[in-house]
Amino acid sequence: MRSSSLLSTVSFAAAFTLALFCSGAARAATLAELTGVQPVTITADGATRRPVAPGIYEAAYSPAAKALYIASAEAVTGVNGGMIYKIDPDTLQTLGITHTDEKNFGLATDPAGKTLYITNSLGHGVSAMDTGTGRITARTTFPGIGKDGFPYGPRQVIYDAQQDGIYVGAVGNPGKIWLLDAKTLDTRATIDNAGKWVTGLALDPQAHRLYAANGDGEIVVVDTRKNEIADRWTPGDGKEWLLLNVALDAARHRLFVTDNSKSKTVAIFDTRTGELTGRIDIGDSLDIAFDRQRDTLYVTHRQQGTLSAIDAGSLRVTKTYALPELPNSILLRPDGKAAYVTIKTPHQKDYSAAGDGSIARITLP
């Protein structure tokens, strides 16, 4: 899951990926400094929050390691490569660090959480990490150049248990979706012409469907048995949309899709017909997650600096959490105890971060 708004790329695609997914000279830190006791603050709404690193993006939870993992691009001038931080899910203290020679953005795990899948957007590839050892065990780099002249930037990754594979969506024009073998990261299928900038992904294994949002304002529907595009949906209202992140309510046949920059809303599609059946007009909407246990949607609002909790039945906001500016991705803990929100800091002209990004833990009622 899932980050961010649009800019332009290092290539346009690279800067877009940076916005999707700080000042001064680089500083060295000892392992003791990084893994020692770090300060934790309490927000006005009772969430605990801890600064982690400049340039953090997505988070993932591993049941096997009983740990939270945070991807970092280490966005400091003069610093190459990135880090994966292993975090205590309750105290938010650092338990371990993996240094990587690529910058890290999107994350996903297999169901047990033994393997962490990492998108290296600026390196045009994907890595796999063993959560038991913290070692990178496999890597692949995607070839090809879009018609805009830029390489593809992998953004979001999602695991498919039925195929023991991972789907990866790429920012590019036109975008692509790859299916990789979960163990070797070999490419099993390439789905072309997925629209400009493939952004969010959601998987419905029972329906054999993968839903991918894109910057053309489309939902691309992939038949996961054939790994071919089966349909394309648009809001159909004649307005400009840039669809970003997605959440699936399979029981009610609803797909929720955020738009952070154009329509600034949450669109609702009927997965049986592909029609736009409603919208939740709560302003700029970045990441989104559906909590089946509580029948609640959670949405981050970057410009507003908040997280909304929305009753999925009435579609009304039931609580708004005030966070520091630029809340980014959402992760729901599998045991239902908490939601985690990564919080970015403003970027500078060279795309370095203006300070340390942080992670917030919200205890769910």
Side-chain angles (χ1 to χ4, degrees):
M1 280 14 199
R2 297 163 168 108
S3 327
S4 204
S5 54
L6 292 177
L7 298 174
S8 147
T9 55
V10 174
S11 69
F12 184 79
F16 172 71
T17 305
L18 278 171
L20 296 179
F21 271 123
C22 308
S23 136
R27 59 177 174 82
T30 67
L31 183 62
E33 288 175 323
L34 291 170
T35 58
V37 176
Q38 299 92 17
V40 174
T41 59
I42 306 296
T43 70
D45 292 303
T48 55
R49 183 177 71 87
R50 197 215 118 191
V52 178
I56 69 169
Y57 284 83
E58 291 191 355
Y61 183 82
S62 165
K66 295 182 174 59
L68 189 68
Y69 291 87
I70 299 177
S72 173
E74 297 299 306
V76 177
T77 302
V79 172
N80 295 312
M83 292 189 187
I84 299 293
Y85 291 87
K86 181 180 181 181
I87 303 290
D88 185 296
D90 297 317
T91 67
L92 303 184
Q93 297 297 300
T94 297
L95 301 174
I97 300 168
T98 293
H99 298 258
T100 62
D101 59 357
E102 295 286 356
K103 295 187 178 296
N104 308 303
F105 294 87
L107 295 181
T109 68
D110 60 350
K114 293 183 177 180
T115 302
L116 183 73
Y117 300 101
I118 309 158
T119 59
N120 307 125
S121 303
L122 301 184
H124 320 298
V126 172
S127 302
M129 189 187 93
D130 184 319
T131 60
T133 64
R135 295 181 180 276
I136 301 298
T137 57
R139 178 182 297 164
T140 191
T141 301
F142 299 112
I145 302 291
K147 67 180 182 182
D148 54 7
F150 299 117
Y152 291 98
R155 182 178 184 266
Q156 198 164 38
V157 54
I158 190 168
Y159 178 82
D160 182 1
Q162 290 183 343
Q163 303 184 79
D164 193 23
I166 58 171
Y167 284 101
V168 183
V171 173
N173 189 13
K176 291 177 181 282
I177 302 169
W178 296 281
L179 173 64
L180 308 183
D181 184 281
K183 293 183 177 62
T184 65
L185 299 188
D186 291 337
T187 301
R188 290 186 187 170
T190 301
I191 301 163
D192 294 309
N193 299 313
K196 183 170 67 174
W197 312 322
V198 175
T199 51
L201 302 174
L203 186 68
D204 187 343
Q206 283 70 42
H208 304 287
R209 289 292 184 265
L210 175 75
Y211 302 104
N214 67 32
D216 283 331
E218 296 179 314
I219 295 297
V220 176
V221 183
V222 175
D223 183 332
T224 58
R225 291 166 297 190
K226 300 178 180 179
N227 286 307
E228 297 176 352
I229 295 175
D231 207 352
R232 295 175 186 266
W233 307 336
T234 64
D237 58 0
K239 297 180 181 179
E240 189 175 6
W241 291 74
L242 198 163
L243 301 180
L244 198 57
N245 292 310
V246 296
L248 178 67
D249 174 7
R252 293 192 183 99
H253 309 286
R254 297 184 300 181
L255 188 73
F256 297 94
V257 191
T258 62
D259 185 324
N260 192 60
S261 59
K262 298 296 183 180
S263 294
K264 297 194 181 227
T265 189
V266 177
I268 308 170
F269 288 88
D270 187 318
T271 58
R272 296 164 296 187
T273 65
E275 295 181 355
L276 182 72
T277 57
R279 38 190 293 169
I280 309 172
D281 289 321
I282 49 177
D284 65 286
S285 300
L286 185 63
D287 200 14
I288 187 167
F290 177 54
D291 183 346
R292 292 171 181 80
Q293 178 179 331
R294 294 172 178 82
D295 201 28
T296 298
L297 290 161
Y298 298 95
V299 179
T300 53
H301 308 286
R302 174 162 288 187
Q303 286 80 11
Q304 299 172 52
T306 58
L307 172 76
S308 292
I310 303 164
D311 182 276
S314 66
L315 303 180
R316 293 181 179 178
V317 176
T318 57
K319 186 172 178 60
T320 300
Y321 296 88
L323 298 168
E325 64 176 337
L326 308 186
N328 197 57
S329 67
I330 305 167
L331 172 69
L332 298 179
R333 187 162 154 171
D335 62 13
K337 292 182 178 179
Y340 300 92
V341 181
T342 60
I343 301 168
K344 296 175 63 62
T345 57
H347 64 81
Q348 303 182 106
K349 289 183 179 180
D350 63 353
Y351 294 105
S352 63
D356 282 345
S358 56
I359 182 75
R361 180 186 187 275
I362 299 168
T363 301
L364 298 177

